[in-house]
Amino acid sequence: MPRRFRLSRRTLVPGFVVLLLAAGFGLYLFQPWKALTSTTVNEALPSASAPSAKEPGTSTAQPAGPRNLAEGRFVTHEHATTGTARTVRLTDGGQVLRLEDLKTSEGPDVRVYLSTREAGAVKTGLGDGAVELGKLKGNLGNQNYAVPRGTDLSKFRSVVIWCARFSVSFGAANVASAAA
């Protein structure tokens, strides 16, 4: 007489718990709902603080406005990515990376980097000396990222939208060598 296989509560309950834990981990890791959402950010280009009251014997000439150092268009890597990346020197000497008309996908743990590699080469990694500027504020629009003081922009060849969780580039933009 053949023996019948019967699942008991002792096997079903732990199996169900393992299945729920695996599903929860998968949802945390992949965050599939981000494929259905978008975050738009529209920041103005920052300006240096206004000069203080005029001191006797000082010039009344206003400092020149922000100066464009380098610019490049995004190319698509793992996700469709378009827009422009610009490096800008502000009137107070600070430097900003500005993303304009950005359009890319949302994703888990997406960050903005300066890379010493060309845009095409970052598909395989950011390379040595990459500088993280912060989490991507939104996948659509115009946004600014402060470049740390003392960063020599002439050493960087591209701006990269990078998913740190999966180590992939969403897209990158070549930027010409920045003038000091």
mmCIF file with all atom_site columns, all heavy atoms in Angstrom, residues 27-43:
data_model
loop_
_atom_site.group_PDB
_atom_site.id
_atom_site.type_symbol
_atom_site.label_atom_id
_atom_site.label_alt_id
_atom_site.label_comp_id
_atom_site.label_asym_id
_atom_site.label_entity_id
_atom_site.label_seq_id
_atom_site.pdbx_PDB_ins_code
_atom_site.Cartn_x
_atom_site.Cartn_y
_atom_site.Cartn_z
_atom_site.occupancy
_atom_site.B_iso_or_equiv
_atom_site.pdbx_formal_charge
_atom_site.auth_seq_id
_atom_site.auth_comp_id
_atom_site.auth_asym_id
_atom_site.auth_atom_id
_atom_site.pdbx_PDB_model_num
ATOM 1   N N   . LEU A 1 27 ? 11.128 42.758 -1.252  1.00 0.00 ? 27 LEU A N   1
ATOM 2   C CA  . LEU A 1 27 ? 10.507 44.074 -1.401  1.00 0.00 ? 27 LEU A CA  1
ATOM 3   C C   . LEU A 1 27 ? 11.446 45.188 -0.925  1.00 0.00 ? 27 LEU A C   1
ATOM 4   O O   . LEU A 1 27 ? 11.566 46.229 -1.568  1.00 0.00 ? 27 LEU A O   1
ATOM 5   C CB  . LEU A 1 27 ? 9.184  44.142 -0.629  1.00 0.00 ? 27 LEU A CB  1
ATOM 6   C CG  . LEU A 1 27 ? 8.028  43.367 -1.245  1.00 0.00 ? 27 LEU A CG  1
ATOM 7   C CD1 . LEU A 1 27 ? 6.840  43.347 -0.290  1.00 0.00 ? 27 LEU A CD1 1
ATOM 8   C CD2 . LEU A 1 27 ? 7.634  43.966 -2.579  1.00 0.00 ? 27 LEU A CD2 1
ATOM 9   N N   . TYR A 1 28 ? 12.127 44.953 0.198   1.00 0.00 ? 28 TYR A N   1
ATOM 10  C CA  . TYR A 1 28 ? 13.084 45.942 0.699   1.00 0.00 ? 28 TYR A CA  1
ATOM 11  C C   . TYR A 1 28 ? 14.214 46.151 -0.298  1.00 0.00 ? 28 TYR A C   1
ATOM 12  O O   . TYR A 1 28 ? 14.607 47.279 -0.601  1.00 0.00 ? 28 TYR A O   1
ATOM 13  C CB  . TYR A 1 28 ? 13.654 45.500 2.049   1.00 0.00 ? 28 TYR A CB  1
ATOM 14  C CG  . TYR A 1 28 ? 14.895 46.269 2.436   1.00 0.00 ? 28 TYR A CG  1
ATOM 15  C CD1 . TYR A 1 28 ? 14.796 47.572 2.914   1.00 0.00 ? 28 TYR A CD1 1
ATOM 16  C CD2 . TYR A 1 28 ? 16.152 45.710 2.299   1.00 0.00 ? 28 TYR A CD2 1
ATOM 17  C CE1 . TYR A 1 28 ? 15.929 48.292 3.247   1.00 0.00 ? 28 TYR A CE1 1
ATOM 18  C CE2 . TYR A 1 28 ? 17.288 46.421 2.621   1.00 0.00 ? 28 TYR A CE2 1
ATOM 19  C CZ  . TYR A 1 28 ? 17.181 47.711 3.093   1.00 0.00 ? 28 TYR A CZ  1
ATOM 20  O OH  . TYR A 1 28 ? 18.304 48.426 3.410   1.00 0.00 ? 28 TYR A OH  1
ATOM 21  N N   . LEU A 1 29 ? 14.754 45.068 -0.829  1.00 0.00 ? 29 LEU A N   1
ATOM 22  C CA  . LEU A 1 29 ? 15.902 45.142 -1.712  1.00 0.00 ? 29 LEU A CA  1
ATOM 23  C C   . LEU A 1 29 ? 15.573 45.807 -3.046  1.00 0.00 ? 29 LEU A C   1
ATOM 24  O O   . LEU A 1 29 ? 16.277 46.705 -3.495  1.00 0.00 ? 29 LEU A O   1
ATOM 25  C CB  . LEU A 1 29 ? 16.455 43.734 -1.944  1.00 0.00 ? 29 LEU A CB  1
ATOM 26  C CG  . LEU A 1 29 ? 17.770 43.615 -2.690  1.00 0.00 ? 29 LEU A CG  1
ATOM 27  C CD1 . LEU A 1 29 ? 18.877 44.282 -1.896  1.00 0.00 ? 29 LEU A CD1 1
ATOM 28  C CD2 . LEU A 1 29 ? 18.103 42.151 -2.916  1.00 0.00 ? 29 LEU A CD2 1
ATOM 29  N N   . PHE A 1 30 ? 14.494 45.410 -3.681  1.00 0.00 ? 30 PHE A N   1
ATOM 30  C CA  . PHE A 1 30 ? 14.175 45.885 -5.022  1.00 0.00 ? 30 PHE A CA  1
ATOM 31  C C   . PHE A 1 30 ? 13.256 47.099 -5.055  1.00 0.00 ? 30 PHE A C   1
ATOM 32  O O   . PHE A 1 30 ? 13.226 47.818 -6.038  1.00 0.00 ? 30 PHE A O   1
ATOM 33  C CB  . PHE A 1 30 ? 13.577 44.751 -5.860  1.00 0.00 ? 30 PHE A CB  1
ATOM 34  C CG  . PHE A 1 30 ? 14.575 43.688 -6.178  1.00 0.00 ? 30 PHE A CG  1
ATOM 35  C CD1 . PHE A 1 30 ? 14.628 42.524 -5.431  1.00 0.00 ? 30 PHE A CD1 1
ATOM 36  C CD2 . PHE A 1 30 ? 15.487 43.858 -7.200  1.00 0.00 ? 30 PHE A CD2 1
ATOM 37  C CE1 . PHE A 1 30 ? 15.557 41.542 -5.705  1.00 0.00 ? 30 PHE A CE1 1
ATOM 38  C CE2 . PHE A 1 30 ? 16.422 42.884 -7.490  1.00 0.00 ? 30 PHE A CE2 1
ATOM 39  C CZ  . PHE A 1 30 ? 16.457 41.714 -6.735  1.00 0.00 ? 30 PHE A CZ  1
ATOM 40  N N   . GLN A 1 31 ? 12.469 47.323 -4.022  1.00 0.00 ? 31 GLN A N   1
ATOM 41  C CA  . GLN A 1 31 ? 11.534 48.442 -3.948  1.00 0.00 ? 31 GLN A CA  1
ATOM 42  C C   . GLN A 1 31 ? 10.790 48.636 -5.284  1.00 0.00 ? 31 GLN A C   1
ATOM 43  O O   . GLN A 1 31 ? 10.898 49.669 -5.929  1.00 0.00 ? 31 GLN A O   1
ATOM 44  C CB  . GLN A 1 31 ? 12.258 49.719 -3.536  1.00 0.00 ? 31 GLN A CB  1
ATOM 45  C CG  . GLN A 1 31 ? 12.894 49.598 -2.171  1.00 0.00 ? 31 GLN A CG  1
ATOM 46  C CD  . GLN A 1 31 ? 13.673 50.826 -1.746  1.00 0.00 ? 31 GLN A CD  1
ATOM 47  O OE1 . GLN A 1 31 ? 13.767 51.816 -2.457  1.00 0.00 ? 31 GLN A OE1 1
ATOM 48  N NE2 . GLN A 1 31 ? 14.231 50.767 -0.562  1.00 0.00 ? 31 GLN A NE2 1
ATOM 49  N N   . PRO A 1 32 ? 10.012 47.642 -5.695  1.00 0.00 ? 32 PRO A N   1
ATOM 50  C CA  . PRO A 1 32 ? 9.379  47.687 -7.014  1.00 0.00 ? 32 PRO A CA  1
ATOM 51  C C   . PRO A 1 32 ? 8.377  48.822 -7.192  1.00 0.00 ? 32 PRO A C   1
ATOM 52  O O   . PRO A 1 32 ? 8.119  49.243 -8.315  1.00 0.00 ? 32 PRO A O   1
ATOM 53  C CB  . PRO A 1 32 ? 8.697  46.323 -7.126  1.00 0.00 ? 32 PRO A CB  1
ATOM 54  C CG  . PRO A 1 32 ? 8.501  45.869 -5.726  1.00 0.00 ? 32 PRO A CG  1
ATOM 55  C CD  . PRO A 1 32 ? 9.656  46.431 -4.958  1.00 0.00 ? 32 PRO A CD  1
ATOM 56  N N   . TRP A 1 33 ? 7.831  49.361 -6.119  1.00 0.00 ? 33 TRP A N   1
ATOM 57  C CA  . TRP A 1 33 ? 6.880  50.457 -6.236  1.00 0.00 ? 33 TRP A CA  1
ATOM 58  C C   . TRP A 1 33 ? 7.534  51.702 -6.823  1.00 0.00 ? 33 TRP A C   1
ATOM 59  O O   . TRP A 1 33 ? 6.856  52.549 -7.376  1.00 0.00 ? 33 TRP A O   1
ATOM 60  C CB  . TRP A 1 33 ? 6.239  50.776 -4.885  1.00 0.00 ? 33 TRP A CB  1
ATOM 61  C CG  . TRP A 1 33 ? 7.251  51.120 -3.830  1.00 0.00 ? 33 TRP A CG  1
ATOM 62  C CD1 . TRP A 1 33 ? 7.746  52.356 -3.549  1.00 0.00 ? 33 TRP A CD1 1
ATOM 63  C CD2 . TRP A 1 33 ? 7.898  50.210 -2.938  1.00 0.00 ? 33 TRP A CD2 1
ATOM 64  N NE1 . TRP A 1 33 ? 8.669  52.274 -2.539  1.00 0.00 ? 33 TRP A NE1 1
ATOM 65  C CE2 . TRP A 1 33 ? 8.781  50.963 -2.133  1.00 0.00 ? 33 TRP A CE2 1
ATOM 66  C CE3 . TRP A 1 33 ? 7.814  48.842 -2.733  1.00 0.00 ? 33 TRP A CE3 1
ATOM 67  C CZ2 . TRP A 1 33 ? 9.572  50.401 -1.144  1.00 0.00 ? 33 TRP A CZ2 1
ATOM 68  C CZ3 . TRP A 1 33 ? 8.609  48.277 -1.749  1.00 0.00 ? 33 TRP A CZ3 1
ATOM 69  C CH2 . TRP A 1 33 ? 9.470  49.053 -0.969  1.00 0.00 ? 33 TRP A CH2 1
ATOM 70  N N   . LYS A 1 34 ? 8.865  51.819 -6.727  1.00 0.00 ? 34 LYS A N   1
ATOM 71  C CA  . LYS A 1 34 ? 9.544  52.995 -7.275  1.00 0.00 ? 34 LYS A CA  1
ATOM 72  C C   . LYS A 1 34 ? 9.456  53.035 -8.795  1.00 0.00 ? 34 LYS A C   1
ATOM 73  O O   . LYS A 1 34 ? 9.654  54.091 -9.393  1.00 0.00 ? 34 LYS A O   1
ATOM 74  C CB  . LYS A 1 34 ? 10.983 53.046 -6.793  1.00 0.00 ? 34 LYS A CB  1
ATOM 75  C CG  . LYS A 1 34 ? 11.057 53.382 -5.325  1.00 0.00 ? 34 LYS A CG  1
ATOM 76  C CD  . LYS A 1 34 ? 12.377 53.948 -4.940  1.00 0.00 ? 34 LYS A CD  1
ATOM 77  C CE  . LYS A 1 34 ? 12.300 54.424 -3.505  1.00 0.00 ? 34 LYS A CE  1
ATOM 78  N NZ  . LYS A 1 34 ? 13.463 55.185 -3.129  1.00 0.00 ? 34 LYS A NZ  1
ATOM 79  N N   . ALA A 1 35 ? 9.174  51.915 -9.428  1.00 0.00 ? 35 ALA A N   1
ATOM 80  C CA  . ALA A 1 35 ? 8.981  51.910 -10.880 1.00 0.00 ? 35 ALA A CA  1
ATOM 81  C C   . ALA A 1 35 ? 7.705  52.649 -11.259 1.00 0.00 ? 35 ALA A C   1
ATOM 82  O O   . ALA A 1 35 ? 7.531  53.047 -12.405 1.00 0.00 ? 35 ALA A O   1
ATOM 83  C CB  . ALA A 1 35 ? 8.937  50.486 -11.402 1.00 0.00 ? 35 ALA A CB  1
ATOM 84  N N   . LEU A 1 36 ? 6.821  52.852 -10.301 1.00 0.00 ? 36 LEU A N   1
ATOM 85  C CA  . LEU A 1 36 ? 5.533  53.491 -10.567 1.00 0.00 ? 36 LEU A CA  1
ATOM 86  C C   . LEU A 1 36 ? 5.459  54.918 -10.016 1.00 0.00 ? 36 LEU A C   1
ATOM 87  O O   . LEU A 1 36 ? 4.424  55.560 -10.128 1.00 0.00 ? 36 LEU A O   1
ATOM 88  C CB  . LEU A 1 36 ? 4.410  52.651 -9.951  1.00 0.00 ? 36 LEU A CB  1
ATOM 89  C CG  . LEU A 1 36 ? 4.380  51.182 -10.365 1.00 0.00 ? 36 LEU A CG  1
ATOM 90  C CD1 . LEU A 1 36 ? 3.350  50.427 -9.552  1.00 0.00 ? 36 LEU A CD1 1
ATOM 91  C CD2 . LEU A 1 36 ? 4.105  51.053 -11.844 1.00 0.00 ? 36 LEU A CD2 1
ATOM 92  N N   . THR A 1 37 ? 6.543  55.404 -9.403  1.00 0.00 ? 37 THR A N   1
ATOM 93  C CA  . THR A 1 37 ? 6.517  56.734 -8.797  1.00 0.00 ? 37 THR A CA  1
ATOM 94  C C   . THR A 1 37 ? 7.561  57.637 -9.439  1.00 0.00 ? 37 THR A C   1
ATOM 95  O O   . THR A 1 37 ? 8.496  57.173 -10.085 1.00 0.00 ? 37 THR A O   1
ATOM 96  C CB  . THR A 1 37 ? 6.805  56.661 -7.282  1.00 0.00 ? 37 THR A CB  1
ATOM 97  O OG1 . THR A 1 37 ? 8.127  56.143 -7.087  1.00 0.00 ? 37 THR A OG1 1
ATOM 98  C CG2 . THR A 1 37 ? 5.803  55.788 -6.558  1.00 0.00 ? 37 THR A CG2 1
ATOM 99  N N   . SER A 1 38 ? 7.384  58.933 -9.239  1.00 0.00 ? 38 SER A N   1
ATOM 100 C CA  . SER A 1 38 ? 8.353  59.934 -9.687  1.00 0.00 ? 38 SER A CA  1
ATOM 101 C C   . SER A 1 38 ? 8.409  61.037 -8.655  1.00 0.00 ? 38 SER A C   1
ATOM 102 O O   . SER A 1 38 ? 7.410  61.357 -8.014  1.00 0.00 ? 38 SER A O   1
ATOM 103 C CB  . SER A 1 38 ? 7.940  60.543 -11.030 1.00 0.00 ? 38 SER A CB  1
ATOM 104 O OG  . SER A 1 38 ? 8.131  59.609 -12.061 1.00 0.00 ? 38 SER A OG  1
ATOM 105 N N   . THR A 1 39 ? 9.593  61.634 -8.508  1.00 0.00 ? 39 THR A N   1
ATOM 106 C CA  . THR A 1 39 ? 9.782  62.770 -7.617  1.00 0.00 ? 39 THR A CA  1
ATOM 107 C C   . THR A 1 39 ? 10.378 63.906 -8.434  1.00 0.00 ? 39 THR A C   1
ATOM 108 O O   . THR A 1 39 ? 11.466 63.760 -9.001  1.00 0.00 ? 39 THR A O   1
ATOM 109 C CB  . THR A 1 39 ? 10.732 62.409 -6.459  1.00 0.00 ? 39 THR A CB  1
ATOM 110 O OG1 . THR A 1 39 ? 10.197 61.280 -5.769  1.00 0.00 ? 39 THR A OG1 1
ATOM 111 C CG2 . THR A 1 39 ? 10.880 63.575 -5.497  1.00 0.00 ? 39 THR A CG2 1
ATOM 112 N N   . THR A 1 40 ? 9.657  65.018 -8.507  1.00 0.00 ? 40 THR A N   1
ATOM 113 C CA  . THR A 1 40 ? 10.129 66.178 -9.255  1.00 0.00 ? 40 THR A CA  1
ATOM 114 C C   . THR A 1 40 ? 10.721 67.194 -8.293  1.00 0.00 ? 40 THR A C   1
ATOM 115 O O   . THR A 1 40 ? 10.126 67.515 -7.271  1.00 0.00 ? 40 THR A O   1
ATOM 116 C CB  . THR A 1 40 ? 8.967  66.828 -10.041 1.00 0.00 ? 40 THR A CB  1
ATOM 117 O OG1 . THR A 1 40 ? 8.418  65.851 -10.918 1.00 0.00 ? 40 THR A OG1 1
ATOM 118 C CG2 . THR A 1 40 ? 9.438  68.024 -10.834 1.00 0.00 ? 40 THR A CG2 1
ATOM 119 N N   . VAL A 1 41 ? 11.905 67.694 -8.638  1.00 0.00 ? 41 VAL A N   1
ATOM 120 C CA  . VAL A 1 41 ? 12.592 68.714 -7.856  1.00 0.00 ? 41 VAL A CA  1
ATOM 121 C C   . VAL A 1 41 ? 12.914 69.859 -8.799  1.00 0.00 ? 41 VAL A C   1
ATOM 122 O O   . VAL A 1 41 ? 13.453 69.635 -9.879  1.00 0.00 ? 41 VAL A O   1
ATOM 123 C CB  . VAL A 1 41 ? 13.901 68.166 -7.240  1.00 0.00 ? 41 VAL A CB  1
ATOM 124 C CG1 . VAL A 1 41 ? 14.679 69.259 -6.546  1.00 0.00 ? 41 VAL A CG1 1
ATOM 125 C CG2 . VAL A 1 41 ? 13.600 67.030 -6.279  1.00 0.00 ? 41 VAL A CG2 1
ATOM 126 N N   . ASN A 1 42 ? 12.575 71.087 -8.415  1.00 0.00 ? 42 ASN A N   1
ATOM 127 C CA  . ASN A 1 42 ? 12.901 72.259 -9.229  1.00 0.00 ? 42 ASN A CA  1
ATOM 128 C C   . ASN A 1 42 ? 13.552 73.319 -8.360  1.00 0.00 ? 42 ASN A C   1
ATOM 129 O O   . ASN A 1 42 ? 12.884 74.197 -7.836  1.00 0.00 ? 42 ASN A O   1
ATOM 130 C CB  . ASN A 1 42 ? 11.652 72.809 -9.931  1.00 0.00 ? 42 ASN A CB  1
ATOM 131 C CG  . ASN A 1 42 ? 11.340 72.019 -11.181 1.00 0.00 ? 42 ASN A CG  1
ATOM 132 O OD1 . ASN A 1 42 ? 12.207 71.805 -12.026 1.00 0.00 ? 42 ASN A OD1 1
ATOM 133 N ND2 . ASN A 1 42 ? 10.117 71.543 -11.283 1.00 0.00 ? 42 ASN A ND2 1
ATOM 134 N N   . GLU A 1 43 ? 14.877 73.201 -8.203  1.00 0.00 ? 43 GLU A N   1
ATOM 135 C CA  . GLU A 1 43 ? 15.642 74.159 -7.416  1.00 0.00 ? 43 GLU A CA  1
ATOM 136 C C   . GLU A 1 43 ? 16.228 75.216 -8.338  1.00 0.00 ? 43 GLU A C   1
ATOM 137 O O   . GLU A 1 43 ? 16.643 74.920 -9.459  1.00 0.00 ? 43 GLU A O   1
ATOM 138 C CB  . GLU A 1 43 ? 16.792 73.459 -6.694  1.00 0.00 ? 43 GLU A CB  1
ATOM 139 C CG  . GLU A 1 43 ? 16.361 72.428 -5.697  1.00 0.00 ? 43 GLU A CG  1
ATOM 140 C CD  . GLU A 1 43 ? 17.544 71.712 -5.053  1.00 0.00 ? 43 GLU A CD  1
ATOM 141 O OE1 . GLU A 1 43 ? 18.592 71.530 -5.706  1.00 0.00 ? 43 GLU A OE1 1
ATOM 142 O OE2 . GLU A 1 43 ? 17.386 71.332 -3.878  1.00 0.00 ? 43 GLU A OE2 1
#
